[in-house]
Amino acid sequence: ILDFQSNRSYDLGTARSRLETYGTSGTLDWQFGGQKLTSITAWRGVRTLNAFDSDGTTNNSFEVDQSNLTDHSLTQEVFVSGSKLGALPIDWVAGAFYLHETTDYAWSLEIFAPPSVQDFTQTVDSVAGYLQGIYHLTDQLSLTAGGRYTTEQKTFDVDSHLADGTFDFAYSDHHLSTDKWTWRTALDYQFAQPIMLYASAATGFRSGGLNGNATALADVVGGAFQPEDTLMYELGIKSEYLDHRLRINADYFYGKY
């Protein structure tokens, strides 16, 4: 828990910044027939309370009376891994992942006028399945390939009230969905001495959403954004010399976002 308070620059209130984080996780492993089954369950929480004076003076001109967020997430991952696929020398892993997250945010912004108060809640349910294998072509050369399919659903609710408590506007959207394939492939070569060369290409994404901070209904809807995608390339070397006393690593990254 981090907590800070000050009344030196906030004329009608106390500037505050409080952060609380908490969580727990548990892992179960089960060995069977040369494979291993792993289950990871985790729960995380974050709570922030903020009030601050953006103009840095005692004038009531630009202040955030509250910027409070509460977030809870539950994740469950189950995967099976092994070092052989039939007679093939393949290290592999296959699994599934689930995320349920709820975020509540309340904020109040004052700009030369009594502040309105806005609350919005977002719920995320994400399910993914993935498979990756490392095929040892030779004792030195390995090929990695994997894919992941994710389907994600978001629900969004926002309520806005004027400074006197009267209703301003409300909006709900329960159809924010994203379905996406992502993949990764890599090739690495391990020399006899501890030098490894590697190259990889991978994709990633982040789902779309709405602008929950907007202070007008048209801006909430108009601020919607689509999913974002990345394509990343990497080329590098990892090496050690002088009986592991000297390590030299180098990487080149290129990303298209």
Side-chain angles (χ1 to χ4, degrees):
I1 298 176
L2 300 175
D3 202 350
F4 166 80
Q5 294 188 33
S6 173
N7 59 4
R8 292 183 177 272
S9 64
Y10 201 14
D11 189 32
L12 296 181
T14 300
R16 183 178 188 184
S17 178
R18 181 178 176 87
L19 169 65
E20 302 175 10
T21 61
Y22 39 88
T24 184
S25 64
T27 301
L28 295 174
D29 290 318
W30 180 39
Q31 297 280 353
F32 65 98
Q35 285 83 45
K36 183 170 76 169
L37 174 66
T38 302
S39 172
I40 303 174
T41 306
W43 180 78
R44 294 287 184 269
V46 176
R47 185 169 182 254
T48 65
L49 301 173
N50 293 285
F52 53 92
D53 180 16
S54 297
D55 61 19
T57 72
T58 58
N59 296 319
N60 297 326
S61 55
F62 196 89
E63 284 138 15
V64 176
D65 289 344
Q66 62 173 316
S67 176
N68 303 333
L69 179 143
T70 301
D71 180 273
H72 296 104
S73 63
L74 172 68
T75 59
Q76 175 63 56
E77 184 172 8
V78 179
F79 59 91
V80 182
S81 58
S83 57
K84 293 286 185 179
L85 192 60
L88 298 176
I90 297 178
D91 296 319
W92 59 272
V93 59
F97 176 83
Y98 171 70
L99 162 72
H100 177 77
E101 181 180 34
T102 300
T103 304
D104 296 299
Y105 183 58
W107 80 300
S108 178
L109 175 63
E110 177 179 353
I111 306 179
F112 298 107
S116 59
V117 179
Q118 192 156 310
D119 298 276
F120 71 83
T121 301
Q122 178 177 276
T123 302
V124 180
D125 287 287
S126 181
V127 180
Y130 59 88
L131 174 65
Q132 178 172 289
I134 303 175
Y135 185 25
H136 302 285
L137 301 169
T138 68
D139 291 340
Q140 291 79 34
L141 183 63
S142 297
L143 173 65
T144 301
R148 180 186 182 104
Y149 181 77
T150 303
T151 179
E152 188 168 292
Q153 303 288 330
K154 288 183 177 179
T155 63
F156 184 89
D157 296 283
V158 58
D159 290 283
S160 181
H161 292 81
L162 301 177
D164 60 3
T166 59
F167 175 76
D168 187 10
F169 70 87
Y171 179 77
S172 296
D173 195 326
H174 297 263
H175 303 286
L176 297 172
S177 62
T178 303
D179 300 297
K180 199 71 177 179
W181 278 101
T182 52
W183 53 266
R184 178 179 183 268
T185 183
L187 194 67
D188 62 80
Y189 188 86
Q190 180 72 58
F191 290 87
Q193 62 187 47
I195 299 176
M196 184 178 72
L197 298 175
Y198 58 91
S200 70
T203 59
F205 85 100
R206 182 168 60 184
S207 59
L210 292 171
N211 181 11
N213 281 336
T215 57
L217 179 58
D219 295 331
V220 172
V221 180
F225 53 93
Q226 297 300 312
E228 302 164 346
D229 300 279
T230 60
L231 175 60
M232 302 296 296
Y233 298 97
E234 181 181 359
L235 180 67
I237 179 175
K238 294 184 183 295
S239 58
E240 292 184 343
Y241 308 91
L242 303 177
D243 196 21
H244 306 291
R245 292 191 296 272
L246 174 63
R247 176 178 297 169
I248 300 177
N249 298 336
D251 277 294
Y252 171 76
F253 292 96
Y254 174 79
K256 183 177 180 180
Y257 171 82

